[in-house]
Amino acid sequence: MSDTQQISLTSEWFIIPGSEEAAIAALGQLALEVRSDEPGTLAYLVHTPYTLDTGLQSLPPRDPQSVLFFEVYENANAFHAHLNGPAFTGFVEKHGDLFRSANGKPYVTVNFLSQRAGFVRSCFGEAQAEKSTTVNQHPGVMFEVIAKDQAAIKSFYASVFDWTYETGTAGFAYIHFPAGSPPLLGGIGQALPDVAGMSQGTNFYLLVDKVQPFIDRAVAAGGETLMPPTPVDGYVFAMFKDVEGNPVGLIEPFAQ
């Protein structure tokens, strides 16, 4: 194989039951380190089985504890640099016991691939950088829900979005998302007290495939609809109130 040929692979690991929260948090940190320190790693996507009730079913059904990696490397040398680098070796050393093992090491299946056709498209559009000579900095990268009853709020959001939590200082529940998330969007609008979702203050929006199923899940979990699915400026928004009355926005993928 030429050392200039790009390499793709899929790899499957299996989380030990009861270790899901710690494993997902550790995998998120691993992806961040790979993105930061390995320029030869061109794509590093970590997946768990799709669980939303939308009529989609894997065939054959997936092991619910499985973790599927899809990775693309500049060449074979870049793959070996990842395999033997500090991010991956440190991950195995610190967190390998969270996964099923064989011969003292995490049990792993690997398929090496050569790409023959296709493309990668960001769900937020591919040409954003070309549309403006000015690139806005300092995007929103964290949100907080400060709850009256933290346990109840955690349970609510776990019911709606299948979130898991990592406990931090003073019991703060962190919610980690995969690296490589789509570009973010922010905005400033005029308060309109009589319009749902436009009261003075701040709102955050979570990216979902379709907003209505999550509105339905929020209502089923004890929340209420604040704003039904609404198309504006090429986007589709919706909002609900959680069980403490906090407004939460939803937004479908959009092209810029």
Side-chain angles (χ1 to χ4, degrees), residues 67-149:
V67 177
L68 184 67
F69 295 77
F70 177 73
E71 306 167 31
V72 180
Y73 296 92
E74 199 169 54
N75 50 39
N77 290 336
F79 166 71
H80 287 294
H82 164 75
L83 187 66
N84 300 310
F88 183 73
T89 57
F91 172 80
V92 174
E93 180 180 352
K94 295 177 183 177
H95 306 292
D97 60 353
L98 300 175
F99 301 87
R100 296 181 198 168
S101 63
N103 300 319
K105 297 181 179 180
Y107 174 76
V108 180
T109 65
V110 180
N111 291 294
F112 288 98
L113 308 166
S114 293
Q115 181 176 319
R116 300 303 184 189
F119 61 90
V120 176
R121 174 182 292 144
S122 166
C123 65
F124 273 69
E126 299 170 342
Q128 173 65 19
E130 299 176 2
K131 290 186 176 183
S132 173
T133 58
T134 301
V135 178
N136 291 316
Q137 303 295 321
H138 316 300
V141 295
M142 182 177 177
F143 63 84
E144 292 180 335
V145 178
I146 306 302
K148 296 177 182 177
D149 184 340

Side-chain angles (χ1 to χ4, degrees), residues 163-197:
W163 283 347
T164 58
Y165 306 98
E166 179 182 1
T167 302
T169 301
F172 191 90
Y174 287 99
I175 305 153
H176 292 274
F177 299 98
S181 296
L184 303 177
L185 177 71
I188 301 173
Q190 175 62 48
L192 301 171
D194 297 328
V195 177

Side-chain angles (χ1 to χ4, degrees), residues 155-231:
S155 177
F156 173 82
Y157 285 104
S159 297
V160 178
F161 296 113
D162 297 320
W163 283 347
T164 58
Y165 306 98
E166 179 182 1
T167 302
T169 301
F172 191 90
Y174 287 99
I175 305 153
H176 292 274
F177 299 98
S181 296
L184 303 177
L185 177 71
I188 301 173
Q190 175 62 48
L192 301 171
D194 297 328
V195 177
M198 294 298 291
S199 299
Q200 183 180 1
T202 58
N203 295 323
F204 66 86
Y205 288 81
L206 303 177
L207 181 67
V208 296
D209 293 331
K210 292 291 183 181
V211 295
Q212 187 61 57
F214 287 91
I215 291 290
D216 295 340
R217 292 180 70 173
V219 171
E224 63 178 278
T225 301
L226 177 60
M227 181 179 73
T230 303

Side-chain angles (χ1 to χ4, degrees), residues 1 17 35 59 73 103 171 188 196 198 241 256:
M1 178 179 291
R35 182 178 185 181
L59 296 174
Y73 296 92
N103 300 319
I188 301 173
M198 294 298 291
K241 289 184 178 181
Q256 296 185 352

